Amino acid sequence: MTILITGGAGFIGSHVVRLFVNKYKNYKICNLDLLTYAGNLENLKDIENEPNYHFIKGDINDSDFINNLFKTYQFDAVIHLAAESHVDRSIEDPLSFVKTNVFGTVNLLNAAKKIWKEDFERKLFYHISTDEVYGTLGETGLFTETTSYDPNSPYSASKASSDHFVRAYGETYGMPYIISNCSNNYGQNQFPEKLIPLFINNIINNKPLPVYGDGNYTRDWLYVIDHAIAIELIFCSGKTGETYNIGGFNEWKNIDLVKLLCEQMDSKLNRSIGTSKKLITYVKDRPGHDLRYAIDASKIKNELGWEPSVTFEEGLKKTIDWYLNNEDWLSNVTTGTYQAYYEKQYNNSK
Ligand code: NAD
Ligand code: TYD
């Protein structure tokens, strides 16, 4: 089998690539990534010389390039993770999200359709999506696979749109597809613009921890390696034409999570307990901020036997240890354009 994984140099993609390269020695695993600010080949240093691993630098928005790539490699399956992934950036620049997340996905679907059209047998387009497509929950309830789409941010609207296109290609052209919608991931190699790695980095550097609004927003957190395991399981055993929700059974209010992170960081850094908490700064809220996400992951649990393997305490400890032991990685990604983004994003604090 030759498998195309898009966005494999990013946070989740790099864990998926590693899992497939190490587990499927007889498959050719091709990682296509544009290496935007979020893509980093350092994430894959340990497997870059494996004979079944191929890296291709390229843009999913470039139709000619994508069509040629499919012609050359004759992929049997696609696991599509490449995307613009940060909500705050989508508020600043929605069109770049439309371009990559919608147009780029349709480009890949077209290329797959062209190559596979004679025979969809044993082919699969697996699209990796987010729980944010469902919009927001109130204080109670859970997102199931049949919850209506109701996206609120340009990011989630672009992901919802890409999900619809994937499903439409299934209905219209018979494209064999699967979609999974996952909750917030955390773990090693996450770019420090998302809540947990941003706050770890700021605590290390004694910088303010910018909590949006009152901090009473809830997310369901999943350790990234458990997401990669779920993706592999769905890829191998999921039913085509189905959607699977993936979640951590692990809801946290932002402010409670941040306080826990502060305590764990204090003890790792040998600072007296309470030191990092003093860095918490309430800042202007994110526009259209979704109050609560929470996943009902019973379908993947009951049908495929998947459950998170790591508790939140363990996962957070591993994550903190990784960032503390990989300061070079952190400083390499926090220099340059990221600094400019950071200044722009947070200089309007309340
Ligand atoms: P990320 O931002 O860390 O990585 C995205 C990767 O895509 C980067 O390597 C980037 O270089 C690449 N990329 C961007 N534009 C590209 C283009 N035009 N052509 C080729 N490559 C391009 O994102 P992530 O957090 O790893 O998320 C991966 C996928 O999982 C996304 O589709 C995201 O919507 C989805 N998802 C993320 C989360 C989460 O909590 N991070 C949760 C659920 C679903
Ligand atoms: P984030 O990691 O951006 O993921 P998402 O928006 O996709 O859920 O944010 C997680 C939560 O943390 C979300 O409610 C927004 C909040 N947040 C802050 O309070 N401050 C910050 O600086 C960031 C980046 C996020």
Side-chain angles (χ1 to χ4, degrees):
M1 244 190 154
T2 303
I3 304 175
L4 173 66
I5 300 180
T6 69
F11 167 48
I12 301 170
S14 61
H15 291 282
V16 175
V17 166
R18 177 176 299 100
L19 197 161
F20 275 78
V21 166
N22 286 335
K23 188 155 179 185
Y24 298 102
K25 300 285 183 204
N26 296 330
Y27 292 179
K28 191 187 264 186
I29 308 300
C30 300
N31 170 16
L32 167 66
D33 199 298
L34 183 59
L35 302 181
T36 66
Y37 79 95
N40 186 348
L41 288 178
E42 274 187 55
N43 296 347
L44 292 164
K45 271 250 160 292
D46 55 322
I47 54 121
E48 67 184 3
N49 294 322
E50 293 296 325
N52 61 340
Y53 172 65
H54 300 256
F55 175 70
I56 304 148
K57 182 172 188 293
D59 189 347
I60 60 168
N61 295 317
D62 182 342
S63 319
D64 290 343
F65 165 75
I66 292 296
N67 283 325
N68 281 330
L69 195 73
F70 274 74
K71 227 187 265 167
T72 308
Y73 285 89
Q74 296 286 322
F75 302 116
D76 298 293
V78 178
I79 306 178
H80 175 37
L81 296 103
E84 289 294 336
S85 67
H86 189 40
V87 172
D88 294 323
R89 287 183 192 255
S90 81
I91 295 167
E92 284 296 308
D93 181 17
L95 268 180
S96 65
F97 283 67
V98 175
K99 199 172 153 204
T100 295
N101 299 359
V102 186
F103 185 82
T105 300
V106 178
N107 254 344
L108 290 167
L109 287 165
N110 279 340
K113 175 163 80 72
K114 223 181 255 172
I115 292 295
W116 297 344
K117 68 175 184 297
E118 302 303 334
D119 184 11
F120 278 132
E121 190 73 22
R122 296 167 58 81
K123 303 289 191 293
L124 180 65
F125 192 100
Y126 179 8
H127 180 57
I128 306 303
S129 193
T130 168
D131 62 353
E132 303 191 27
V133 298
Y134 299 123
T136 188
L137 292 163
E139 295 294 339
T140 58
L142 298 171
F143 296 134
T144 72
E145 286 80 0
T146 56
T147 301
S148 303
Y149 276 32
D150 194 14
N152 291 317
S153 73
Y155 164 65
S156 54
S158 70
K159 290 298 290 188
S161 174
S162 63
D163 291 11
H164 290 322
F165 270 104
V166 173
R167 204 169 278 125
Y169 271 60
E171 290 299 320
T172 307
Y173 307 111
M175 171 79 66
Y177 75 89
I178 298 180
I179 299 172
S180 57
N181 297 82
C182 189
S183 62
N184 286 60
N185 285 215
Y186 70 98
Q188 65 198 58
N189 304 104
Q190 187 169 32
F191 194 84
E193 62 184 354
K194 307 278 168 62
L195 181 74
I196 290 178
L198 174 71
F199 280 28
I200 290 174
N201 188 38
N202 285 11
I203 291 170
I204 293 171
N205 294 298
N206 275 308
K207 283 170 70 175
L209 306 177
V211 172
Y212 294 158
D214 60 7
N216 284 318
Y217 294 89
T218 299
R219 298 291 182 264
D220 172 358
W221 294 93
L222 177 67
Y223 190 53
V224 64
I225 290 171
D226 278 327
H227 188 191
I229 292 169
I231 288 173
E232 192 246 334
L233 189 61
I234 290 170
F235 179 81
C236 295
S237 310
K239 285 199 202 107
T240 55
E242 294 277 327
T243 286
Y244 294 87
N245 278 355
I246 309 169
F249 304 96
N250 178 42
E251 286 184 50
W252 284 82
K253 282 205 156 115
N254 291 343
I255 190 63
D256 296 334
L257 188 160
V258 169
K259 286 179 179 163
L260 174 69
L261 185 65
C262 287
E263 274 174 30
Q264 290 202 359
M265 287 294 290
D266 282 344
S267 76
K268 287 282 174 193
L269 293 169
N270 293 320
R271 295 178 181 170
S272 60
I273 299 293
T275 308
S276 300
K277 232 191 259 181
K278 292 193 191 121
L279 298 169
I280 293 174
T281 313
Y282 292 92
V283 301
K284 194 161 61 100
D285 210 347
R286 172 187 281 174
H289 199 166
D290 286 330
L291 177 69
R292 177 171 163 261
Y293 304 143
I295 283 274
D296 175 352
S298 53
K299 178 174 171 179
I300 183 173
K301 185 175 172 194
N302 296 337
E303 290 187 12
L304 303 179
W306 175 88
E307 271 184 293
S309 66
V310 174
T311 65
F312 189 56
E313 266 228 325
E314 282 164 5
L316 198 57
K317 280 209 173 95
K318 280 176 196 254
T319 305
I320 291 171
D321 285 343
W322 187 83
Y323 281 95
L324 291 176
N325 293 328
N326 289 273
E327 285 195 38
D328 283 353
W329 184 95
L330 204 48
S331 69
N332 287 346
V333 299
T334 51
T335 50
T337 51
Y338 171 72
Q339 281 306 341
Y341 162 79
Y342 190 83
E343 294 309 324
K344 184 160 189 281
Q345 173 64 15
Y346 294 103
N347 69 0
N348 296 326
S349 304
K350 277 200 296 208

Short mmCIF file of all heavy atoms in Angstrom, two decimals, residues 217-256:
data_model
loop_
_atom_site.label_atom_id
_atom_site.label_comp_id
_atom_site.label_asym_id
_atom_site.label_seq_id
_atom_site.Cartn_x
_atom_site.Cartn_y
_atom_site.Cartn_z
N TYR A 217 -14.61 28.76 30.02
CA TYR A 217 -14.88 28.03 28.78
C TYR A 217 -14.37 26.61 28.95
O TYR A 217 -13.33 26.40 29.59
CB TYR A 217 -14.20 28.71 27.59
CG TYR A 217 -14.79 30.09 27.32
CD1 TYR A 217 -14.28 31.22 27.96
CD2 TYR A 217 -15.87 30.24 26.47
CE1 TYR A 217 -14.83 32.47 27.74
CE2 TYR A 217 -16.43 31.49 26.25
CZ TYR A 217 -15.90 32.60 26.89
OH TYR A 217 -16.46 33.84 26.67
N THR A 218 -15.12 25.65 28.40
CA THR A 218 -14.79 24.25 28.65
C THR A 218 -14.36 23.55 27.37
O THR A 218 -15.00 23.72 26.32
CB THR A 218 -16.02 23.52 29.24
OG1 THR A 218 -16.35 24.17 30.48
CG2 THR A 218 -15.73 22.06 29.50
N ARG A 219 -13.28 22.77 27.47
CA ARG A 219 -12.81 21.96 26.35
C ARG A 219 -12.61 20.53 26.86
O ARG A 219 -12.36 20.30 28.04
CB ARG A 219 -11.47 22.49 25.80
CG ARG A 219 -11.56 23.93 25.23
CD ARG A 219 -12.37 23.96 23.95
NE ARG A 219 -12.46 25.26 23.31
CZ ARG A 219 -13.48 26.11 23.48
NH1 ARG A 219 -14.48 25.82 24.34
NH2 ARG A 219 -13.53 27.24 22.81
N ASP A 220 -12.66 19.57 25.92
CA ASP A 220 -12.48 18.15 26.23
C ASP A 220 -11.11 17.77 25.66
O ASP A 220 -10.91 17.80 24.45
CB ASP A 220 -13.63 17.39 25.53
CG ASP A 220 -13.49 15.89 25.57
OD1 ASP A 220 -12.49 15.37 26.10
OD2 ASP A 220 -14.40 15.21 25.05
N TRP A 221 -10.15 17.45 26.54
CA TRP A 221 -8.75 17.32 26.12
C TRP A 221 -8.35 15.87 25.91
O TRP A 221 -8.64 15.01 26.76
CB TRP A 221 -7.83 17.97 27.16
CG TRP A 221 -8.03 19.46 27.21
CD1 TRP A 221 -8.88 20.14 28.05
CD2 TRP A 221 -7.42 20.44 26.37
NE1 TRP A 221 -8.80 21.50 27.77
CE2 TRP A 221 -7.92 21.71 26.76
CE3 TRP A 221 -6.48 20.38 25.33
CZ2 TRP A 221 -7.51 22.89 26.14
CZ3 TRP A 221 -6.08 21.57 24.73
CH2 TRP A 221 -6.60 22.80 25.13
N LEU A 222 -7.64 15.62 24.81
CA LEU A 222 -7.17 14.27 24.49
C LEU A 222 -5.68 14.30 24.20
O LEU A 222 -5.20 15.17 23.44
CB LEU A 222 -7.93 13.74 23.26
CG LEU A 222 -7.51 12.35 22.76
CD1 LEU A 222 -7.88 11.27 23.78
CD2 LEU A 222 -8.14 12.03 21.41
N TYR A 223 -4.95 13.33 24.77
CA TYR A 223 -3.50 13.23 24.52
C TYR A 223 -3.28 12.84 23.06
O TYR A 223 -3.91 11.91 22.55
CB TYR A 223 -2.91 12.18 25.46
CG TYR A 223 -1.41 12.13 25.48
CD1 TYR A 223 -0.65 13.28 25.70
CD2 TYR A 223 -0.74 10.93 25.29
CE1 TYR A 223 0.73 13.23 25.72
CE2 TYR A 223 0.64 10.87 25.32
CZ TYR A 223 1.37 12.03 25.53
OH TYR A 223 2.74 11.99 25.55
N VAL A 224 -2.38 13.55 22.40
CA VAL A 224 -2.24 13.42 20.93
C VAL A 224 -1.94 12.00 20.48
O VAL A 224 -2.41 11.56 19.43
CB VAL A 224 -1.18 14.43 20.41
CG1 VAL A 224 0.21 14.13 20.95
CG2 VAL A 224 -1.18 14.50 18.90
N ILE A 225 -1.18 11.25 21.29
CA ILE A 225 -0.83 9.88 20.85
C ILE A 225 -2.08 9.00 20.88
O ILE A 225 -2.25 8.12 20.03
CB ILE A 225 0.34 9.33 21.68
CG1 ILE A 225 1.61 10.11 21.26
CG2 ILE A 225 0.54 7.82 21.45
CD1 ILE A 225 2.83 9.89 22.09
N ASP A 226 -3.00 9.28 21.79
CA ASP A 226 -4.27 8.54 21.78
C ASP A 226 -5.10 8.90 20.54
O ASP A 226 -5.83 8.05 20.02
CB ASP A 226 -5.06 8.80 23.06
CG ASP A 226 -4.57 7.92 24.20
OD1 ASP A 226 -4.16 6.78 23.91
OD2 ASP A 226 -4.57 8.37 25.36
N HIS A 227 -4.97 10.12 20.07
CA HIS A 227 -5.66 10.49 18.81
C HIS A 227 -5.04 9.73 17.65
O HIS A 227 -5.74 9.16 16.80
CB HIS A 227 -5.59 12.00 18.58
CG HIS A 227 -6.42 12.48 17.43
ND1 HIS A 227 -6.32 13.75 16.91
CD2 HIS A 227 -7.34 11.86 16.65
CE1 HIS A 227 -7.16 13.89 15.89
NE2 HIS A 227 -7.79 12.74 15.72
N ALA A 228 -3.70 9.68 17.62
CA ALA A 228 -3.02 8.96 16.52
C ALA A 228 -3.43 7.48 16.53
O ALA A 228 -3.68 6.89 15.47
CB ALA A 228 -1.51 9.10 16.66
N ILE A 229 -3.54 6.90 17.71
CA ILE A 229 -3.95 5.48 17.81
C ILE A 229 -5.38 5.31 17.28
O ILE A 229 -5.68 4.36 16.55
CB ILE A 229 -3.83 4.99 19.28
CG1 ILE A 229 -2.34 4.92 19.69
CG2 ILE A 229 -4.51 3.63 19.46
CD1 ILE A 229 -2.11 4.70 21.18
N ALA A 230 -6.25 6.26 17.63
CA ALA A 230 -7.64 6.20 17.15
C ALA A 230 -7.68 6.30 15.62
O ALA A 230 -8.43 5.59 14.95
CB ALA A 230 -8.47 7.32 17.78
N ILE A 231 -6.84 7.18 15.07
CA ILE A 231 -6.81 7.37 13.60
C ILE A 231 -6.37 6.07 12.92
O ILE A 231 -6.97 5.63 11.94
CB ILE A 231 -5.88 8.55 13.23
CG1 ILE A 231 -6.53 9.88 13.63
CG2 ILE A 231 -5.53 8.54 11.74
CD1 ILE A 231 -5.66 11.12 13.48
N GLU A 232 -5.36 5.43 13.50
CA GLU A 232 -4.88 4.17 12.89
C GLU A 232 -5.97 3.10 12.95
O GLU A 232 -6.20 2.36 11.99
CB GLU A 232 -3.62 3.72 13.62
CG GLU A 232 -2.87 2.62 12.90
CD GLU A 232 -2.86 1.31 13.66
OE1 GLU A 232 -2.96 1.33 14.91
OE2 GLU A 232 -2.75 0.26 13.01
N LEU A 233 -6.66 3.05 14.09
CA LEU A 233 -7.73 2.06 14.26
C LEU A 233 -8.88 2.31 13.27
O LEU A 233 -9.39 1.38 12.63
CB LEU A 233 -8.23 2.15 15.70
CG LEU A 233 -9.19 1.09 16.18
CD1 LEU A 233 -8.54 -0.29 16.12
CD2 LEU A 233 -9.61 1.39 17.63
N ILE A 234 -9.26 3.56 13.14
CA ILE A 234 -10.35 3.90 12.21
C ILE A 234 -9.91 3.60 10.78
O ILE A 234 -10.67 3.06 9.97
CB ILE A 234 -10.76 5.39 12.38
CG1 ILE A 234 -11.46 5.57 13.72
CG2 ILE A 234 -11.65 5.85 11.24
CD1 ILE A 234 -11.69 7.03 14.12
N PHE A 235 -8.67 3.94 10.47
CA PHE A 235 -8.15 3.70 9.12
C PHE A 235 -8.24 2.20 8.78
O PHE A 235 -8.63 1.82 7.68
CB PHE A 235 -6.69 4.17 9.04
CG PHE A 235 -6.06 3.94 7.69
CD1 PHE A 235 -6.29 4.82 6.64
CD2 PHE A 235 -5.23 2.85 7.48
CE1 PHE A 235 -5.71 4.60 5.40
CE2 PHE A 235 -4.64 2.63 6.24
CZ PHE A 235 -4.88 3.51 5.19
N CYS A 236 -7.89 1.36 9.74
CA CYS A 236 -7.84 -0.10 9.48
C CYS A 236 -9.22 -0.74 9.61
O CYS A 236 -9.53 -1.67 8.86
CB CYS A 236 -6.90 -0.79 10.46
SG CYS A 236 -5.21 -0.28 10.24
N SER A 237 -10.02 -0.29 10.58
CA SER A 237 -11.24 -1.05 10.90
C SER A 237 -12.53 -0.24 10.82
O SER A 237 -13.60 -0.79 11.05
CB SER A 237 -11.13 -1.62 12.32
OG SER A 237 -9.92 -2.27 12.50
N GLY A 238 -12.42 1.07 10.54
CA GLY A 238 -13.64 1.88 10.45
C GLY A 238 -14.44 1.52 9.20
O GLY A 238 -13.90 0.96 8.25
N LYS A 239 -15.74 1.85 9.25
CA LYS A 239 -16.60 1.57 8.08
C LYS A 239 -16.58 2.76 7.14
O LYS A 239 -16.73 3.92 7.59
CB LYS A 239 -18.05 1.36 8.55
CG LYS A 239 -18.30 0.03 9.21
CD LYS A 239 -19.82 -0.25 9.20
CE LYS A 239 -20.18 -1.23 10.28
NZ LYS A 239 -20.89 -0.66 11.41
N THR A 240 -16.44 2.53 5.85
CA THR A 240 -16.45 3.67 4.93
C THR A 240 -17.84 4.30 4.93
O THR A 240 -18.86 3.64 5.18
CB THR A 240 -16.06 3.25 3.49
OG1 THR A 240 -16.91 2.21 3.09
CG2 THR A 240 -14.62 2.83 3.40
N GLY A 241 -17.84 5.61 4.66
CA GLY A 241 -19.10 6.36 4.67
C GLY A 241 -19.56 6.73 6.07
O GLY A 241 -20.65 7.26 6.25
N GLU A 242 -18.72 6.47 7.08
CA GLU A 242 -19.12 6.76 8.47
C GLU A 242 -18.30 7.91 9.05
O GLU A 242 -17.20 8.23 8.58
CB GLU A 242 -18.87 5.53 9.35
CG GLU A 242 -19.73 4.34 9.03
CD GLU A 242 -21.11 4.40 9.67
OE1 GLU A 242 -21.22 4.95 10.79
OE2 GLU A 242 -22.06 3.89 9.05
N THR A 243 -18.86 8.48 10.10
CA THR A 243 -18.18 9.50 10.90
C THR A 243 -17.93 8.93 12.29
O THR A 243 -18.79 8.22 12.82
CB THR A 243 -19.10 10.73 11.03
OG1 THR A 243 -19.12 11.42 9.79
CG2 THR A 243 -18.64 11.68 12.08
N TYR A 244 -16.78 9.23 12.86
CA TYR A 244 -16.48 8.80 14.23
C TYR A 244 -16.08 10.02 15.05
O TYR A 244 -15.20 10.79 14.63
CB TYR A 244 -15.33 7.78 14.25
CG TYR A 244 -15.68 6.48 13.58
CD1 TYR A 244 -15.50 6.32 12.21
CD2 TYR A 244 -16.23 5.42 14.31
CE1 TYR A 244 -15.84 5.13 11.58
CE2 TYR A 244 -16.57 4.23 13.68
CZ TYR A 244 -16.37 4.08 12.32
OH TYR A 244 -16.72 2.92 11.69
N ASN A 245 -16.69 10.18 16.20
CA ASN A 245 -16.25 11.21 17.14
C ASN A 245 -15.17 10.62 18.05
O ASN A 245 -15.30 9.48 18.52
CB ASN A 245 -17.41 11.67 18.03
CG ASN A 245 -18.30 12.70 17.33
OD1 ASN A 245 -17.99 13.13 16.21
ND2 ASN A 245 -19.37 13.09 17.98
N ILE A 246 -14.14 11.43 18.30
CA ILE A 246 -13.04 10.99 19.18
C ILE A 246 -12.89 12.03 20.28
O ILE A 246 -12.77 13.23 19.98
CB ILE A 246 -11.71 10.89 18.40
CG1 ILE A 246 -11.87 10.05 17.13
CG2 ILE A 246 -10.61 10.31 19.28
CD1 ILE A 246 -10.66 10.14 16.18
N GLY A 247 -12.90 11.60 21.53
CA GLY A 247 -12.78 12.55 22.63
C GLY A 247 -12.08 11.94 23.82
O GLY A 247 -11.82 10.72 23.86
N GLY A 248 -11.77 12.78 24.78
CA GLY A 248 -10.96 12.33 25.91
C GLY A 248 -11.76 11.95 27.14
O GLY A 248 -11.18 11.56 28.15
N PHE A 249 -13.08 12.08 27.12
CA PHE A 249 -13.90 11.92 28.33
C PHE A 249 -13.27 12.76 29.43
O PHE A 249 -13.10 12.32 30.56
CB PHE A 249 -13.97 10.44 28.78
CG PHE A 249 -14.49 9.49 27.71
CD1 PHE A 249 -13.62 8.78 26.90
CD2 PHE A 249 -15.85 9.31 27.53
CE1 PHE A 249 -14.09 7.91 25.92
CE2 PHE A 249 -16.34 8.43 26.56
CZ PHE A 249 -15.46 7.74 25.76
N ASN A 250 -12.90 14.00 29.09
CA ASN A 250 -12.00 14.75 29.96
C ASN A 250 -12.23 16.26 29.82
O ASN A 250 -11.46 16.96 29.19
CB ASN A 250 -10.55 14.38 29.56
CG ASN A 250 -9.51 15.13 30.35
OD1 ASN A 250 -9.63 15.30 31.55
ND2 ASN A 250 -8.49 15.59 29.65
N GLU A 251 -13.33 16.73 30.44
CA GLU A 251 -13.68 18.15 30.30
C GLU A 251 -12.99 18.99 31.36
O GLU A 251 -13.01 18.64 32.54
CB GLU A 251 -15.19 18.32 30.49
CG GLU A 251 -16.01 17.85 29.33
CD GLU A 251 -17.49 18.16 29.58
OE1 GLU A 251 -17.82 19.31 29.92
OE2 GLU A 251 -18.30 17.22 29.45
N TRP A 252 -12.47 20.12 30.93
CA TRP A 252 -11.86 21.07 31.86
C TRP A 252 -12.29 22.49 31.51
O TRP A 252 -12.24 22.87 30.34
CB TRP A 252 -10.33 21.01 31.77
CG TRP A 252 -9.75 19.82 32.45
CD1 TRP A 252 -9.65 18.56 31.94
CD2 TRP A 252 -9.20 19.78 33.76
NE1 TRP A 252 -9.07 17.73 32.85
CE2 TRP A 252 -8.78 18.45 33.98
CE3 TRP A 252 -9.01 20.73 34.78
CZ2 TRP A 252 -8.19 18.04 35.18
CZ3 TRP A 252 -8.42 20.32 35.97
CH2 TRP A 252 -8.02 18.99 36.16
N LYS A 253 -12.64 23.26 32.55
CA LYS A 253 -12.77 24.71 32.34
C LYS A 253 -11.36 25.25 32.15
O LYS A 253 -10.42 24.83 32.86
CB LYS A 253 -13.39 25.37 33.57
CG LYS A 253 -14.89 25.16 33.64
CD LYS A 253 -15.56 26.27 34.44
CE LYS A 253 -17.00 26.34 33.99
NZ LYS A 253 -18.00 26.01 34.93
N ASN A 254 -11.20 26.20 31.22
CA ASN A 254 -9.86 26.73 30.95
C ASN A 254 -9.14 27.16 32.22
O ASN A 254 -7.97 26.85 32.43
CB ASN A 254 -9.94 27.93 30.00
CG ASN A 254 -10.36 27.54 28.60
OD1 ASN A 254 -10.29 26.36 28.23
ND2 ASN A 254 -10.81 28.50 27.82
N ILE A 255 -9.85 27.89 33.09
CA ILE A 255 -9.17 28.46 34.25
C ILE A 255 -8.70 27.36 35.21
O ILE A 255 -7.61 27.46 35.80
CB ILE A 255 -10.05 29.53 34.97
CG1 ILE A 255 -9.24 30.28 36.01
CG2 ILE A 255 -11.33 28.95 35.55
CD1 ILE A 255 -8.08 31.08 35.45
N ASP A 256 -9.48 26.27 35.32
CA ASP A 256 -9.05 25.16 36.19
C ASP A 256 -7.84 24.45 35.60
O ASP A 256 -6.91 24.07 36.31
CB ASP A 256 -10.21 24.16 36.38
CG ASP A 256 -11.38 24.80 37.10
OD1 ASP A 256 -11.14 25.77 37.86
OD2 ASP A 256 -12.53 24.35 36.90
#
